[in-house]
Amino acid sequence: MPKGRYSLHDPHDHTPLAEEHFHCAPGPHGWRYVAQLTAHTPASGAHAHGTGPAVPDPADGPEHLGSVDLTLDDLGRPLRLELHSGGWQVRGGALDGVTWVRTDPVGEEATEGTVAAHAFTGNSPAFLVATARLLHLTTTSPPTRVRLVSFTGQALAPRTLDQQWALRTSETHATDNGPLTVDEYLVGDVETGEQHTVHLAGDVVLSAPGVELEDLETPPTRFTD
């Protein structure tokens, strides 16, 4: 069961956004990912040398920013999604496309949405793993288009978008923990034409725009079909 920590930052200006402490594993339904988001912690040496902001007192603990809970079925479809951020909450799943309920911070109103889309996406690295799992691409597959509903930012506002995914390479490397297969995907935004590269090892994101794997306590789980 992989367990570790990602750091998230703005992919354009590299402003730190959060740290995502996660664990994930295959289960009876397919795959589940659970994570807690905390405020980014500045480097401990910055304050000591007077070159950066003060480091928060460890006794106070990191500021909690939100959470992610995503469960996929054996085919990679979202059985259950629950997001929390800035007081907002989203719960959703695959039903006549994808369906969700978004609740405001006060809890007085809830809005429902349904879109003829394949799955969800957002800032969490979990969604990159989920989309790759959904598409089941090989290096000989043509570029594949997928429609997603995105929830990003503190308000978790929904937005429908189309991406195009292609698996460019799949290479196996020898490690101390055995063979590790790394898949390199080219992901493009259909509307803007912007493209970026994502590297996955099983159910762990090794690198992607705005994502850095900072710590991994156990090896990734390799999906088997």
Side-chain angles (χ1 to χ4, degrees), residues 13-203:
D13 62 13
H14 303 289
T15 300
L17 300 177
E19 293 186 342
E20 187 161 317
H21 304 259
F22 73 94
H23 62 272
C24 55
H29 297 297
W31 181 74
R32 187 180 181 191
Y33 178 100
V34 177
Q36 300 293 323
L37 281 82
T38 62
H40 172 76
T41 303
S44 59
H47 181 60
H49 293 86
T51 59
V55 179
D57 186 344
D60 296 335
E63 179 187 0
H64 184 261
L65 300 180
S67 62
V68 180
D69 191 341
L70 174 65
T71 301
L72 308 180
D73 68 10
D74 288 333
L75 298 177
R77 297 171 298 191
L79 279 179
R80 177 179 177 272
L81 171 68
E82 184 167 337
L83 301 174
H84 293 265
S85 177
W88 293 88
Q89 175 182 282
V90 168
R91 291 183 176 179
L95 180 66
D96 296 329
V98 294
T99 299
W100 68 90
V101 176
R102 177 172 172 264
T103 307
D104 66 286
V106 181
E108 294 181 348
E109 296 183 10
T111 57
E112 298 183 6
T114 299
V115 170
H118 300 94
F120 300 107
T121 191
N123 292 333
S124 174
F127 294 114
L128 297 174
V129 176
T131 303
R133 179 63 179 158
L134 176 70
L135 297 178
H136 291 82
L137 300 177
T138 68
T139 53
T140 59
S141 300
T144 301
R145 184 165 173 166
V146 59
R147 173 156 291 185
L148 305 168
V149 174
S150 173
F151 297 102
T152 59
Q154 285 195 340
L156 299 176
R159 182 173 72 93
T160 303
L161 56 88
D162 292 313
Q163 291 182 342
Q164 182 170 277
W165 282 61
L167 178 57
R168 297 207 295 190
T169 64
S170 183
E171 299 180 348
T172 301
H173 306 270
T175 72
D176 294 339
N177 296 309
L180 180 70
T181 301
V182 178
D183 297 325
E184 179 185 298
Y185 292 89
L186 183 64
V187 181
D189 185 307
V190 173
E191 180 180 358
T192 65
E194 182 180 0
Q195 294 184 323
H196 58 267
T197 301
V198 173
H199 290 90
L200 303 181
D203 55 359

